[in-house]
């Protein structure tokens, strides 16, 4: 599993190097958003996620006592990106940043940067001076920051990426909730998930 | 097209056929005029070729050049056939369909196909391809591209009108004095036409359209147009009737349509967006939704991190997912924590593990999801597990079942019942003992 993922990462990084940032000519028909809803996809994801979590535990146990939630989240995102088969920008960005992080991991240089970037966690915006950017532009910017790897993407492509990203995230939540349910035996209330446990 | 050609050749061979000869003569004269008029300008290849080749063959070349499309062929055929029967020079010539549709009249040609208009449109067509037509392939490429456009736009009103116009556009420009003026006019219109047809592209509209406009406007520019034709990546679009044919507006319209199409997808995806119209509101909803999903992932990952290191079990052996149509959240929950902590669980034979599922809310998208949970899970779990109250046990200690093998299968829409073992796991589990419902 690890070797396959690392291989995938390598391939992804190669692909990413060849690719330009910004707009790409893409035929929307080639990206099928409905695949995230299929049961088999979810099953595959769950299996892989489970393996990844186990691996994280194995790797982290000698170092830390408990694998942090962040590690699990990163693993989950990575597996999700792999499941995306690299057709979407956000998946490539996740894998690329992880690869870069892995290379830099030994130096432990950019760990914090990676954590902030890959997972797209909500960072509170630093208070800045008021800028009169059109509201739409502001929102597009916010959205582009949420979707990994989509900062310099045009608006239509950004919407495309967002569509796929939302579908993938939904599948991820479903799979992780099911897995959590399985492992912990307690129901996971989605509605209450916004509050941290 | 091929049918037309024999006609033309027949006309040539048969001097008795006055009308045919007239047409051909006119055609030749047109060719000559065109040659003289455009001088060094290269037509899109369609026009140049005739000037270089035999006059009769010119028509053929023209037809061939535009004949890449079957639509054009039909048009040409139709246009050629009635011509011999006509006496009216302009109208006749106007009817001769030239495959140079790509550079045909622009939106302005929606009017009645009078001779003047035909001329103007034709002169447009003629002036439109002022670029160097290096070779027939290029011309054919260019023409076939508009030909494709023609075929694609065949269903539209404006396109039909334009087709009619183009039918008259063929080579009527030859003998009109006003052609000079109109040619310039139609050069611009031709631009707009080209831009019309090429501007509404899905990708890369700006570059080719601007290039086209420049080449069309400046009849001395030769190469850019041909080179544009070779760009494989722009899609030809046609302006709808009543809409501006400006290249900018067309490009913008394409872009807007792209955006609105994608917003529609997102609207279906994000719950609660049906009432919201407008990009700003939609974007707000989308942003909130993405943030909530990411938060959920974060939350779940923290939960997973807190799960006991019992992950060494082969999960495939003891969990499966299946969908159960009947979802009932009301589960009699029996706290089995004491039994759960039975250390015997640790020695689970994976095959004999049974999972029980208790109702849980998968709020978002999977009302069908049902999980079986392994009993071994709770054994050494921390607090969260012991608090679990979702185990259901409908019957006294059941027996393990070989049905556990089935846990590996995902079965859709099946109601499975499994027994809930919490005692030494000998024997087989009766699947019917425990009904799992979600």
């Amino acid at each position: 599993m690890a070797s396959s993922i690392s291989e995938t990462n390598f391939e992804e990084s190669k692909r990413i190097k060849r690719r330009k940032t910004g707009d790409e000519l893409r035929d929307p028909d080639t990206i099928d958003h409905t695949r995230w809803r299929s049961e088999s996809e979810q099953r595959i994801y769950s299996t892989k996620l489970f393996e990844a979590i186990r691996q994280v535990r194995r790797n982290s146990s000698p170092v830390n006592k408990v694998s942090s939630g962040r590690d699990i989240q990163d693993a989950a995102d990575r597996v999700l990106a792999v499941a995306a088969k690299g057709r979407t920008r956000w998946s490539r960005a996740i894998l690329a940043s992880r690869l870069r992080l892995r290379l830099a991991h030994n130096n432990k240089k950019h760990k914090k940067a990676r954590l902030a970037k890959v997972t797209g966690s909500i960072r509170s915006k630093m208070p800045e001076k008021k800028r009169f950017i059109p509201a739409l532009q502001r929102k597009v910017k916010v959205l582009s920051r949420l979707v990994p790897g989509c900062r310099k993407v045009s608006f239509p492509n950004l919407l495309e990426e967002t569509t796929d990203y939302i579908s993938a995230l939904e599948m991820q939540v479903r799979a992780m909730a099911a897995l959590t349910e399985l492992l912990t035996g307690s129901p996971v209330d989605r509605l209450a998930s916004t509050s941290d446990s | 097209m091929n049918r037309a050609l024999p006609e033309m050749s027949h006309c040539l061979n048969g001097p008795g056929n006055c009308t045919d000869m007239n047409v051909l003569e006119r055609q030749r004269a047109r060719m000559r005029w065109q040659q003289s008029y455009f001088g060094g300008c290269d037509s899109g290849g369609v026009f140049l070729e005739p000037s270089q080749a035999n006059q009769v063959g010119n028509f053929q070349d023209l037809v061939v050049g535009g004949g890449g499309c079957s639509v054009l062929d039909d048009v040409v055929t139709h246009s050629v056939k009635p011509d011999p029967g006509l006496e009216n020079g302009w109208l006749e010539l106007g009817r001769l369909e030239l495959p140079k549709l790509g550079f045909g009249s622009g939106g302005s040609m929606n009017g009645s196909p009078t001779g003047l208009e035909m001329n103007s449109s034709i002169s447009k067509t003629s002036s439109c391809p002022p670029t160097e037509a290096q070779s027939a392939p290029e011309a054919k490429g260019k023409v076939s591209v508009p030909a494709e456009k023609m075929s694609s736009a065949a269903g539209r009103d404006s396109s039909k009108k334009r087709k009619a116009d183009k039918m008259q556009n063929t080579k009527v420009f030859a003998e009109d004095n006003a052609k000079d003026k109109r040619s310039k006019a139609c050069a611009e219109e031709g631009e707009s036409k080209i831009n019309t047809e090429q501007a509404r592209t899905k990708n890369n509209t700006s570059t080719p359209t601007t290039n086209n406009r420049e080449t069309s406007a400046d009849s001395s520019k030769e190469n850019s147009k041909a080179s544009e034709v070779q760009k494989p990546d722009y899609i030809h679009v046609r302006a709808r009737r009543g809409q501006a044919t400006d290249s900018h507006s067309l490009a913008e319209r394409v872009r807007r349509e792209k955006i609105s199409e994608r917003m529609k997808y997102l609207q279906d995806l994000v719950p609660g967006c049906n009432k919201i119209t407008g990009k700003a509101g939609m974007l707000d909803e989308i942003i909130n939704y993405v943030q909530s999903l990411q938060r959920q992932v974060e939350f779940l990952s923290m939960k997973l991190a807190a799960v006991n290191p019992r992950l060494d079990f082969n999960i495939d052996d003891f969990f499966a997912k299946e969908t159960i149509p009947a979802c009932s959240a009301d589960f009699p929950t029996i706290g089995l924590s004491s039994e759960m902590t039975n250390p015997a669980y640790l020695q689970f034979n994976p095959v004999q593990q049974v999972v029980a599922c208790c109702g849980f809310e998968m709020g978002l998208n999977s009302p069908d999801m049902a999980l079986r949970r392994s009993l071994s899970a709770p054994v050494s779990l921390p607090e969260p597990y012991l608090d679990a109250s979702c185990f259901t046990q409908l019957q006294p200690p059941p027996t393990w079942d070989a049905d556990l093998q089935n846990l590996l299968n995902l079965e859709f829409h099946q109601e499975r019942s499994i027994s809930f073992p919490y005692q030494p796991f000998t024997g087989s589990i009766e699947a019917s003992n425990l009904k799992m419902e979600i």
Side-chain angles (χ1 to χ4, degrees), chain B residues 361-382:
Chain B
E361 303 265 23
M362 299 285 286
L364 211 51
N365 285 323
S366 56
D368 300 332
M369 281 295 302
L371 279 192
R372 301 188 187 182
R373 217 167 315 107
S374 69
L375 286 185
S376 62
V379 176
S380 47
L381 274 190

Side-chain angles (χ1 to χ4, degrees), chain B residues 9-249:
Chain B
S9 56
H10 171 70
C11 292
L12 279 180
N13 297 333
N17 193 342
C18 300
T19 55
D20 294 335
M21 287 307 292
N22 291 340
V23 169
L24 285 171
E25 282 167 358
R26 279 184 232 118
Q27 192 183 4
R28 274 184 230 125
R30 216 184 307 135
M31 301 296 178
R32 275 179 244 120
W33 176 89
Q34 183 189 9
Q35 258 180 319
S36 60
Y37 180 77
F38 288 105
C41 299
D42 295 327
S43 66
V46 174
F47 288 101
L48 263 193
E49 291 181 4
S51 62
Q52 295 161 358
N54 183 358
Q55 292 300 330
V56 176
N58 288 342
F59 184 78
Q60 184 170 3
D61 292 337
L62 287 168
V63 175
V64 167
C69 173
S70 59
V71 173
L72 288 172
D73 289 349
D74 293 339
V75 170
V76 170
T77 311
H78 294 315
S79 61
V80 169
K81 276 179 184 167
D83 270 340
L86 288 178
E87 296 297 332
N88 185 346
W90 287 124
L91 292 173
E92 269 180 301
L93 292 173
R95 293 253 195 91
L96 278 177
E97 173 73 12
L98 270 191
K100 196 64 176 186
L101 299 182
F103 310 95
S105 61
S108 63
M109 284 311 295
N110 286 335
S112 60
T114 62
L116 291 182
E117 283 174 344
M118 286 191 312
N119 293 339
S120 61
S121 61
I122 287 163
S123 47
K124 272 183 247 167
T125 60
S126 58
S127 60
C128 285
T131 61
E132 164 68 18
Q134 284 94 359
S135 59
E138 285 179 6
K140 284 177 188 157
K142 276 188 212 165
V143 180
S144 59
V145 159
E148 290 164 8
K149 286 183 287 181
M150 279 297 296
S151 52
S152 65
R156 300 187 191 174
D157 299 337
S158 58
S159 71
K160 282 179 194 159
K161 275 205 172 177
R162 290 205 195 89
K163 254 196 213 175
D165 295 332
K166 284 175 187 170
M167 287 199 215
Q168 299 140 10
N169 283 350
T170 50
K171 298 224 177 150
V172 189
F173 46 75
E175 296 160 37
D176 191 3
N177 294 334
K179 268 180 235 157
D180 292 344
K181 304 169 201 165
R182 288 198 202 90
S183 62
K184 283 165 193 146
C186 76
E188 282 140 15
E189 290 180 350
E191 293 172 29
S192 69
K193 177 64 175 225
I194 297 170
N195 294 335
T196 308
E197 292 170 346
Q198 294 174 348
R200 270 187 62 189
T201 68
K202 305 228 168 116
N203 306 316
N204 279 350
T205 57
S206 54
T207 326
T209 49
T210 47
N211 286 344
N212 286 336
R213 183 187 295 142
E214 290 168 3
T215 54
S216 306
D218 185 0
S219 56
S220 60
K221 284 194 191 158
E222 300 179 347
N223 294 327
S224 46
K225 205 176 258 196
S227 60
E228 283 156 24
V229 173
Q230 289 162 359
K231 277 188 201 167
D233 54 352
Y234 56 85
I235 298 174
H236 294 278
V237 202
R238 191 171 283 275
R240 281 195 277 263
R241 182 175 176 174
Q243 290 182 337
T245 57
D246 184 34
S247 72
H248 281 312
S249 53

